[in-house]
Amino acid sequence: MDVAELNRIATAMVAKGKGILAADESSGTIKKRFDAINVENIEPNRRDYRELLFRTPAMKDHIGGVILFDETIRQKAKDGTPLVDIIKASGAVPGIKVDSGAKPLAGSPNETVTEGLDGLRERFVEYHKLGARFAKWRATYDPTRTSYNCNNANAHALARYAALAQENGIVPIVEPEVLMDFDNDVDTCAMVTEWVLKEVYQQLYYANVALEGTILKPNMIVSGKKCARQAGIDEVAEKTVKVLKRCVPTAVPGIAFLSGGQSDEDATAHLNAMNAKFDLPWKLTFSYGRALQAAPQKAWGGKAENTAAAQAAFAHRARMNGLAATGQWKPELEKKAA
Ligand code: 13P
């Protein structure tokens, strides 16, 4: 394992003012997004949509890595250029989602374990040839019920995935997501996230994963969506930084948050508050799916004539989040663009 090379890749992905574009929606998830804008979920539409994102000039300034789904890493743009080459030309690192999803966990009703380890070594060899230099594996937890069985099984799978990635020259993004869809309060989110992260780092250690060649993709510490009291921006920032400082070793070069269902502006404001107010030992940035793509999807609506508008919407969110990654975002910047 070449830890220096893995560290070089990870560091480039979270370079100053840059974050990660999560464009790795499975064909099922992108269907949900396309249904919302009345676009048929067929291969040419998925290609056109992702091509427009990757050809957006602002990629160069704000996007250090792009997470792809299996179909996309093999796909060519309309003019025959591999989409991976378009991403590389923008200066971003191509990456690949490798888990096969969260499945019911035997013995723990209503909890899940993420699957996908079988044959993963061989898949990494192929993905490396296709240009991937980082990967992602997501585990999910319900904060109102997380059991030790669930915590342990998911951490163990994350660690086995991360070790296999590094063995094949690929930086693992380790993504334990405590979901925000429930009625729990913010302190329950903090308590469960701390427990989950402690277990993840324990298992990464047992699996001999070199932390210098990893990126953590966690949830922020937020109130459940159905909780009556919603924590404000400063409280989210303070509680998130507190939990991360307790759990994430400083050998980790970067932490790139998922947006998890936050509004576009909340996801930006929270990230900004953390970078503006705290002294941090790692790069703290974004790895957003929905919070980067909701606006361009709406502007595009499946119509070629809306490409420029969709690219402008994506560029705006990428720029806002790039500023948040250095603590320089201000709400007025959103209003100016509106
Ligand atoms: P969201 O930012 O939409 O949560 O997506 C990030 C992601 O990659 C989820 O696995």
Side-chain angles (χ1 to χ4, degrees), residues 22 24 67 136 138 175 217 258-261 287-290:
D24 59 323
I67 319 176
K136 177 192 112 166
R138 171 176 174 257
E175 182 179 5
K217 175 162 173 168
L258 56 94
S259 57
S287 175
Y288 296 159
R290 283 163 284 183

